[in-house]
Amino acid sequence: TTYYVEYGPNTTYRSQTGPVSAGSGAAAVPVAVTLLDLAASTTYHYRYVATNEEGTSNGADLTFTTVAGALPAATTGSASAVSSSSALIAGFVNPAGLDTTYHVEYGPTTTYGSTAPVTPAAAGFGAADVPVTVALSGLSATTTYHFRLVATNAQGLSQGLDGTFTTLA
């Protein structure tokens, strides 16, 4: 048996997830899917659909409403595991209900100049703080670095406060 979810702004659904295997047993199996790229403050209809060699079964129509999207929040944490060429930066990102990415800006001044990771990392789309860490490497020894956490979603970007650390000799 495979299953997928149909979803959309009404009971014509218009979108669906890819099929997922539910196995071949005779007992009920707990299932879950993640729906991405949803609009903020929108009510969606959805239903599970299961298919096997006997046919297709549509689940009941249910609804949910996404939270209002807003700018994400970026809270710069501290630097740890500082060595002569690397450091680990911690912080928190609150996606504010929209698909959100994050990165760290760093450099010898508050103009920063470098980012890590090169491709921003995913923080999800929830409405609660998500703990994040970013590893910095290739740093120069005995150098003071400025850093800040930056979060971005469809509403814009948020920059955390500036922090500093000094690499070891």
Side-chain angles (χ1 to χ4, degrees), residues 8 35 38-46 62-69 97:
L35 304 178
L38 301 174
S41 301
T42 302
T43 298
Y44 285 89
H45 289 258
Y46 72 99
L62 300 169
T63 62
F64 66 90
T65 301
T66 55
V67 296

Side-chain angles (χ1 to χ4, degrees), residues 1 50-57:
T1 300
T51 303
N52 65 18
E53 62 275 355
E54 298 295 320
T56 299
S57 176

Side-chain angles (χ1 to χ4, degrees), residues 48-87:
Y48 278 88
V49 179
T51 303
N52 65 18
E53 62 275 355
E54 298 295 320
T56 299
S57 176
N58 296 326
D61 175 67
L62 300 169
T63 62
F64 66 90
T65 301
T66 55
V67 296
L71 281 173
T75 304
T76 303
S78 60
S80 64
V82 177
S83 73
S84 62
S85 63
S86 64

Side-chain angles (χ1 to χ4, degrees), residues 76-79 89 104-110 112 144-149 160-166:
T76 303
S78 60
I89 306 301
V104 169
E105 295 178 331
Y106 66 99
T109 68
T110 56
Y112 306 105
T144 297
Y145 284 90
H146 289 263
F147 65 95
R148 69 179 172 195
L149 186 62
L161 297 176
D162 179 71
T164 61
F165 66 90
T166 301

